[in-house]
Amino acid sequence: MTTIQHHRGYDADVLIVGGGIVGVSTAMQLIDRHPGISVLLLEKEAALAAHQSSHNSGVIHAGVYYAPGSLKADFCRRGAAATYAFARRHDVQVEQCGKLIVATNDVEVERLNALYTRCQQNQLEPQMLDEAALRELEPRIAGRAAIRVATSGIADYRGMTETMARLARDGGVQIALNQRVEALHEDENGITAETSNGRFRARHAIVCAGLMADRLAKMCKVDLDFRIVPFRGEYYRLPTTKNDIVKHLVYPVPDPALPFLGVHLTRMIGGYVTVGPNAVLALAREGYRWRDANLKDLAGMAAFPGFWKMLGKHGASGLSEMRNSLWKTGYLELCRKYCPELVLSDLEPYPSGVRAQAVMADGSMVHDFLIRPSQRSLHVCNAPSPAATSSLPIGAYLVEAFDKHFGLAPRFQPQSTAQPCGLAIG
């Protein structure tokens, strides 16, 4: 277990709860902005990036779908550029292969045209392709039209998180693994985290808890007009004989009423291709398989009126996703719409992911980032896709918001040779 250094009755000036890519990015940037403060990151698992940060499609999103002016659109556009720059500077594996969004019928062509306009609004320089141009670029993909976005790519997000952690440690951040936060207590002087292996006291905290975000926010009396509802994204891997099936990332045209992008073909950093994900209501916060069910998680969902309102709004699509999860042929048909050569035997097993989706009391799914303060802490209550792509600008935003909300300023000038003495509350 990590030995924690004590500072004037506190274990740290700032606690960061959560060792996913957003929490680690925040720790790295906090110590960079305030050299000399003491930062302690608590992660419940035995390794960093154990959940959403490594159980995803590995895509560097360009920002195609997001409402112009939203945090998502801004973070994503800047995040993609920052991810490529960071990866190349620190030898993290990335590849800028571009993406195609493929329309296969009249409704999708109409939606594709709307997406093209949104791409332009989000300053992405999209390229519209007709059927012949699509076939020339991707001979094994079928569609009536497509948008090509050159800035999309793929990354090793687990490797990126580990690199950020190394840089954070070099700056003085302490990282303690196997520390599941079971309680948070705030008072006028600080915040105390009780974990499975100890008790830690800090002046302030930034909580990046992903699938557990609402529970930790509730401990700090954050207004809970939302709950986290887990959706499992199931993937398959194509056989090595089909590693060259596409040169781009290939996506269907999504339903604008849903926050999910549909089953897509993704070239992965390892050289293989995955298919997925779908979006199936999970029976546990960390329910990576159908048999993973948690009564506490299910009871929490059932007790939240917004959950039932969400089911009322999206019940039909939810049943369709569930059917295709249990019926592999249905899943295959989603892929065959734009990649007709695929057959059932091509869908080989691959690990699933679970997405933390914030749902409001009225049943609406939160599409944007949701960040809420409490007395002594700042909580990332919803960090949807593209949070991995956007981890660097999200971390910078959190550090800026944290400084402004709590009036923090270094007690020393960065160029000073004096010993670090923490943060002053302004």
Side-chain angles (χ1 to χ4, degrees):
M1 190 173 121
T2 304
T3 301
I4 306 303
Q5 300 171 10
H6 293 266
H7 297 260
R8 305 167 301 283
Y10 293 88
D11 298 297
D13 291 317
V14 183
L15 278 182
I16 292 181
V17 179
I21 194 167
V22 171
V24 175
S25 168
T26 303
M28 177 186 73
Q29 295 186 75
L30 183 64
I31 205 76
D32 186 58
R33 182 174 175 126
H34 295 289
I37 67 166
S38 54
V39 179
L40 169 61
L41 186 149
L42 303 176
E43 164 54 41
K44 69 187 179 72
E45 304 294 354
L48 299 170
H51 291 288
Q52 292 181 106
S53 300
S54 59
H55 289 73
N56 58 49
S57 55
V59 171
I60 301 173
H61 291 280
V64 170
Y65 311 96
Y66 316 127
S70 65
L71 284 177
K72 256 192 180 186
D74 178 47
F75 285 165
C76 191
R77 188 179 64 255
R78 292 192 291 118
T83 297
Y84 286 122
F86 181 92
R88 287 163 183 158
R89 190 181 314 123
H90 298 288
D91 294 323
V92 176
Q93 287 184 291
V94 288
E95 181 187 340
Q96 188 173 333
C97 52
K99 93 188 262 185
L100 297 174
I101 306 166
V102 179
T104 58
N105 58 42
D106 288 345
V107 173
E108 290 181 354
V109 168
E110 193 174 323
R111 289 175 179 171
L112 193 72
N113 288 326
L115 276 179
Y116 183 79
T117 301
R118 178 155 285 187
C119 285
Q120 291 177 313
Q121 291 170 332
N122 287 334
Q123 303 165 41
L124 299 181
E125 300 180 4
Q127 178 186 2
M128 184 65 85
L129 308 174
D130 62 15
E131 189 167 351
L134 169 61
R135 180 73 65 178
E136 188 176 343
L137 269 183
E138 291 287 1
R140 298 160 81 172
I141 297 300
R144 289 179 45 190
I147 294 171
R148 181 173 182 268
V149 181
T151 48
S152 293
I154 49 177
D156 173 10
Y157 285 124
R158 185 189 289 275
M160 187 165 168
T161 306
E162 290 167 352
T163 299
M164 289 178 177
R166 175 176 56 77
L167 295 170
R169 287 189 182 101
D170 289 347
V173 174
Q174 298 177 84
I175 296 177
L177 303 175
N178 298 303
Q179 297 286 351
R180 180 185 299 273
V181 174
E182 295 169 345
L184 289 171
H185 308 287
E186 293 186 329
D187 57 55
E188 61 184 17
N189 296 315
I191 183 167
T192 301
E194 295 181 19
T195 79
S196 48
N197 282 313
R199 183 183 174 98
F200 303 98
R201 176 80 171 160
R203 299 179 189 278
H204 297 280
I206 302 175
V207 183
C208 308
L211 286 154
M212 305 299 168
D214 54 343
R215 291 181 180 167
L216 271 68
K218 184 180 181 182
M219 294 173 188
C220 296
K221 300 181 173 58
V222 171
D223 178 25
L224 271 202
D225 54 350
F226 70 95
R227 294 291 188 282
I228 295 296
V229 175
F231 284 87
R232 183 170 61 255
E234 296 164 335
Y235 294 87
Y236 292 98
R237 175 175 170 168
L238 298 185
T240 54
T241 54
K242 297 206 166 159
N243 283 354
D244 61 350
I245 193 167
V246 286
K247 303 182 208 56
H248 296 75
L249 312 173
V250 179
Y251 283 69
V253 177
D255 182 342
L258 298 173
F260 310 114
L261 300 182
V263 171
H264 46 270
L265 290 176
T266 306
R267 289 161 49 88
M268 302 295 283
I269 283 294
Y272 54 93
V273 176
T274 61
V275 178
N278 57 4
V280 183
L281 185 67
L283 304 180
R285 297 267 177 136
E286 295 170 6
Y288 292 100
R289 300 162 297 184
W290 273 109
R291 63 178 177 271
D292 295 336
N294 182 294
L295 290 179
K296 177 184 175 183
D297 293 347
L298 288 169
M301 283 192 281
F304 178 52
F307 171 72
W308 298 105
K309 291 175 183 175
M310 179 199 72
L311 287 187
K313 291 179 182 180
H314 301 297
S317 63
L319 287 172
S320 175
E321 293 280 354
M322 190 175 294
R323 182 200 67 165
N324 292 335
S325 168
L326 296 169
W327 186 48
K328 199 173 177 182
T329 301
Y331 195 111
L332 176 68
E333 287 310 309
L334 297 175
C335 318
R336 282 174 54 85
K337 276 180 66 179
Y338 56 85
C339 190
E341 75 176 70
L342 294 178
V343 295
L344 268 181
S345 60
D346 289 330
L347 302 186
E348 299 179 349
Y350 193 77
S352 297
V354 179
R355 170 183 175 145
Q357 175 62 55
V359 175
M360 303 303 287
D362 66 359
S364 61
M365 297 185 187
V366 181
H367 292 283
D368 211 350
F369 292 93
L370 187 64
I371 297 164
R372 298 264 177 90
S374 65
Q375 182 186 11
R376 306 292 298 187
S377 54
L378 196 64
H379 294 256
V380 180
C381 297
N382 194 51
S385 177
T389 300
S390 308
S391 62
L392 287 163
I394 295 170
Y397 179 91
L398 287 171
V399 171
E400 186 74 29
F402 183 78
D403 287 358
K404 285 181 179 175
H405 190 78
F406 295 111
L408 301 179
R411 282 186 182 150
F412 59 92
Q413 296 301 316
Q415 67 270 24
S416 169
T417 56
Q419 289 296 309
C421 53
L423 290 171
I425 300 177

